[in-house]
Amino acid sequence: MKFRVERDVLADAVSWAARTLPTRPSMPVLAGLVLEASEDSVTLSSFDYEVSSRVTIAADVQTPGTSLVSGRLLADITRSLPGAPVQLSNEGTRVVITCGRSSFTLPTLPVEDYPSLPAMPDSSGDIEAALFASAVAQVAVAAGRDDTLPTLTGIRMEIEGGNIVLAATDRYRLAVREFSWNPKSSSISVNALIPAKTLADTAKSLSTTDLVTIALSAGGSGEGLIGFEGAGRRTTTRLLDGEFPKYRTLLPSEAATVASVDTSALADAVKRVALVAERNTPVRLAFEGSEVVLRAGAGDDAQANEVVECRVDGDGLEIAFNPTYLLDGLSAVDAVTTTFSFTQATRPAVLTGADTNAASGVDDYRYLLMPVRLTG
């Protein structure tokens, strides 16, 4: 194997393919990146039996071939190389990297022991990359991080024709985003539970492309695999097993009190007031008339109060939230004004963007947040 490629092109491709490498590989070869040079391109790939990544770049290939080298080391090296064309070549059981007057020699791993990457499922349709990345990021914030509850570490994707719904919950909050896409078949009906971290990372990494292809078996399970592809980059991941909570029953159909407040002003106030909140201590919000009063701390402890203007329709109420979860919701709403919908102070509140246009397909986002029981 011997090829020549621009430094920035190689560094970007290696970084992308190496991002899914396992931290603690079950076998040494799984820590490697496969380099396949053929004709006028080079393909870099990684796989850990759960997630696979594959990217193809144009290169001046002098000798086709395949090598397996340490992925993280190769990523570190390519990022640090000077701004000049890079040459990679096999020399026995080593790969030599030359760039300007810099040279590195890496030992190779036995490529014959590396597992074959899973085949990409047939394309189910495509979606604008920026929209997909935004939608996934809004929902992923509510996904669980407790591996003892694997079902809650996933994002549920529901596809019905030209409509996609994403949902995630960690039992303390629920995020739901609905948007349109371009399916191959208008009759498609698929549900899948996708690891949230993998989906969020993949959507973000593909956000600079034009379109993202989503590939999923029509039955929703099939090989238990879903794939995403854009601009020569491809990722597949195994789906999670388990029954996702019936989240739709949690979303209230009406509200007794609705409050609209400037998102940035409220977020800044929550951050300041939360400075005196001890670990696991909530921030109280009292909505009344044309303002919301934020309070934290009590008794002999440090205390903080702040008032933010808002519009309240309905009866006033006082409610308390985990400040981190509240800030996550305000950030995910991604709107100038946030609307809070309440049924009562002991029931979850629903946060939405008051200045978004759901009818246009631009946004239909809901963030349901459980309150913290007030004492005293």
Side-chain angles (χ1 to χ4, degrees), residues 124 156-157 159 188-194 215-226 238-241:
S124 301
R156 179 173 170 87
M157 177 183 284
I159 302 177
I188 187 172
S189 178
V190 182
N191 296 326
L193 188 57
I194 309 163
L216 184 65
S217 57
S221 55
E223 297 297 323
L225 199 71
I226 188 170
R238 291 184 57 160
L239 301 177
L240 295 171
D241 294 324

Side-chain angles (χ1 to χ4, degrees), residues 121-146:
D122 292 335
S123 171
S124 301
D126 57 55
I127 182 173
E128 180 187 339
L131 170 61
F132 185 57
S134 172
V136 171
Q138 284 183 304
V139 173
V141 70
R145 293 164 179 80
D146 184 355

Side-chain angles (χ1 to χ4, degrees), residues 269-294:
V270 171
K271 291 175 185 176
R272 286 189 288 267
V273 171
L275 292 173
V276 303
E278 298 292 334
R279 180 179 174 86
N280 298 323
T281 301
V283 168
R284 299 187 182 209
L285 292 85
F287 292 88
E288 187 74 48
S290 60
E291 63 185 28
V292 54
V293 180
L294 294 83

Side-chain angles (χ1 to χ4, degrees), residues 9 61 79 118 122 134 149 167-168 193 198 200 211-213 224-225 279 292 303 311 315 360:
V9 173
V61 178
R79 277 196 300 266
D122 292 335
S134 172
L149 299 169
L193 188 57
T198 300
L211 293 174
V212 172
T213 296
L225 199 71
R279 180 179 174 86
V292 54
Q303 300 179 37
R311 174 182 173 181
D315 297 334
S360 69

Side-chain angles (χ1 to χ4, degrees), residues 29 34 66-68 109-115:
V29 293
V34 179
T66 303
S67 288
L68 178 66
L109 299 167
V111 70
E112 63 273 9
D113 294 342
Y114 202 81

Side-chain angles (χ1 to χ4, degrees), residues 7 81-87 97-104:
R7 179 261 184 192
L81 290 174
V86 184
Q87 178 175 286
I97 305 169
T98 306
C99 180
R101 303 183 70 174
S102 297
S103 178
F104 295 85

